Every structure is written in structure tokens, then in C-alpha cells.
Amino acid sequence: MGADGERGRFVGRPAGRPVVWSGVWAAGLTGAFTGLAWLFMRWDLHTRADSGLSRMQGLAWMYLALAGIVAFGLLAASRGLTSRGVRATGLAAGVLYAGTITLAYGWSARAADEILRDRGVAYPAVVTATWTRGDGESGEVHLAEVRLRDGRTLTLAASPSLFRGAAWAREHPVGTESEVTLDPEDVAQPRFGPPPTGAAVGWPAAGAGAVAAASLAAAVPLGARTAARRAHRPHGPEPRDAVPRGCGQGLRDA
């Protein structure tokens, strides 16, 4: 029997169907959450620090929406699973959530690094003001106002990292001379310091790995359930078992 026959016989067996459906679920989950991470990356990359909705608040709303999507998906997918399958899927859902956030943040950081590395222009600047927007509940973002040597005034995040904004503001009080890198096409956000020499790779790799691993972990019980449900559906007779009309009468006459 050829390779095609062996493959068809494997897929047709009950033991092979869960494997196939697990692969389908894994591919679907990976594609869906990778797409969500891409959308979040586009939002983060194009959100201006001085917009009406701060970067922190915008991300908080997106991640809240992602939590709702994950929770609804977990509730819908848990029907028909064993208690062990529900636990495994719930754990995978948590990792999917964290992995999607990490992947979106990593892609945004890498895209900004690549833009400023390739076409960023550095300008001498002086810090003219620093302040904090938001609160502890909705999130805080530390902002700085700078005046370039050519007279332009910009408002930008005090640090590319959301977690070092407060430290940067303390280290760079008003009157401090600094350097600001701008994107001439105004896609990447302005950034303190010279143009980067590389691009972030650690966060995107960690996020992609988490999404892929969690999708595979959730796909195993989901694939088994899908295969079991399809196996219990009523089916007609197999082609090889069907008796053509008139053959039964001929056998009785013989």
C-alpha cells in the first residue's frame, strides 16, 4: 500500500482523528491570537503620548477586551470536556493571554526600534517640564516636554519602557540637556537618546513561543472532544459494506 493509502487509513482510525483535530485547533488558536497581538501592536505603535487617551489607558482597555475574549472562549470551549481537560484548557488560556500581551509589546518595541534605527534623526533638546498622567487605578504614564534647538516643542514619554518612566523623570529634572530621536514620517514615537543600533528580539520570541505552546496545550483536549463528537454522529453505511440493489435477491435465489 502506498503512502497515500497509509495516511488515509491512519486518519480514518479513531486514534488518528484526535491528532488531526488537535492540529486544526492548534493552528486556529495560534493564528487567532497572533492576529490579535498584531492589532494591539498597531495600536501601540500609532498611539501618541500626548493624545486624549494615554498609552497606558489605551493598552489597559485592549487587554481588558482580550481578557473578555479569552474568558468567553474558555467558557464556550469547556462544554463537554472532562474536569482534567477543563483545567488544562484554563491554564492554557491564561498562558495565551500573557503570551499575546508579550508578543504585542515585543512587536511594538521591535517595530519602533527598526524605524528609528533606519530613518531616525537625533536632535539636541532641553527638558522643560515633566508630569504624570493618570492614577494608580487606570495606570500612570510619565511624560516630558522638551524644546529642540530649532525651537520646536515636543511631548513624549519619559522612557520607552513603561516601567522606567518614574526613574527617568527623577534622573532628568527640568533644565537637563538631552537628545531626542524623531521619526521624520511620524510613525514611531519620539524617543529620548540616540537612534538605536539594534531591534528588540527577546520579547517577540518569548511571546510567540508562549502563544504556540499554549495553543497546542489547549488543542489536545479540544481536539479529542471534537473527534469524539464527530464519531457519535450518525453515518450511512461505508461504501464497501453497502449492498447494491438486486444483489440480495440474487443471493437468496442461489
Side-chain angles (χ1 to χ4, degrees):
M1 183 179 294
D4 293 340
E6 291 291 340
R7 189 183 305 112
R9 188 172 63 177
F10 172 75
V11 173
R13 291 177 179 176
R17 291 180 184 136
V19 175
V20 174
W21 284 110
S22 295
V24 172
W25 273 103
L29 289 172
T30 301
F33 283 92
T34 299
L36 287 173
W38 183 85
L39 291 176
F40 292 167
M41 178 272 290
R42 299 300 298 177
W43 170 281
D44 185 42
L45 185 63
H46 290 275
T47 298
R48 299 277 77 82
D50 57 349
S51 62
L53 183 67
S54 73
R55 180 188 183 195
M56 198 70 172
Q57 289 173 323
L59 293 177
W61 278 109
M62 286 192 303
Y63 296 157
L64 182 62
L66 176 62
I69 293 173
V70 172
F72 178 79
L74 175 62
L75 181 63
S78 61
R79 296 180 179 179
L81 294 179
T82 64
S83 57
R84 181 178 180 181
V86 171
R87 290 193 299 269
T89 305
L91 179 61
V95 178
L96 267 176
Y97 178 79
T100 303
I101 292 177
T102 304
L103 183 57
Y105 176 80
W107 274 349
S108 178
R110 184 175 66 184
D113 287 345
E114 291 174 347
I115 290 173
L116 295 179
R117 179 197 63 193
D118 296 339
R119 63 177 186 236
V121 180
Y123 296 89
V126 177
V127 178
T128 57
T130 59
W131 68 94
T132 301
R133 176 184 291 173
D135 51 49
E137 295 182 357
S138 61
E140 294 182 347
V141 58
H142 299 270
L143 304 175
E145 183 179 271
V146 299
R147 185 177 65 252
L148 304 183
R149 183 168 294 178
D150 59 10
R152 286 181 293 171
T153 301
L154 300 175
T155 300
L156 60 159
S159 170
S161 171
L162 294 176
F163 309 105
R164 288 207 68 252
W168 194 98
R170 289 193 300 268
E171 297 167 1
H172 298 78
V174 174
T176 301
E177 294 186 356
S178 185
E179 190 176 23
V180 174
T181 298
L182 304 181
D183 173 18
E185 298 183 13
D186 199 30
V187 174
Q189 297 185 34
R191 181 182 301 180
F192 281 104
T197 57
V201 294
W203 288 109
V211 168
S215 297
L216 183 59
V220 172
L222 293 175
R225 184 198 62 182
T226 302
R229 286 182 174 179
R230 293 182 65 87
H232 286 85
R233 288 182 179 179
H235 296 284
E238 294 292 334
R240 63 174 179 270
D241 297 331
V243 178
R245 181 175 299 178
C247 290
Q249 181 66 33
L251 291 174
R252 285 196 297 269
D253 294 342

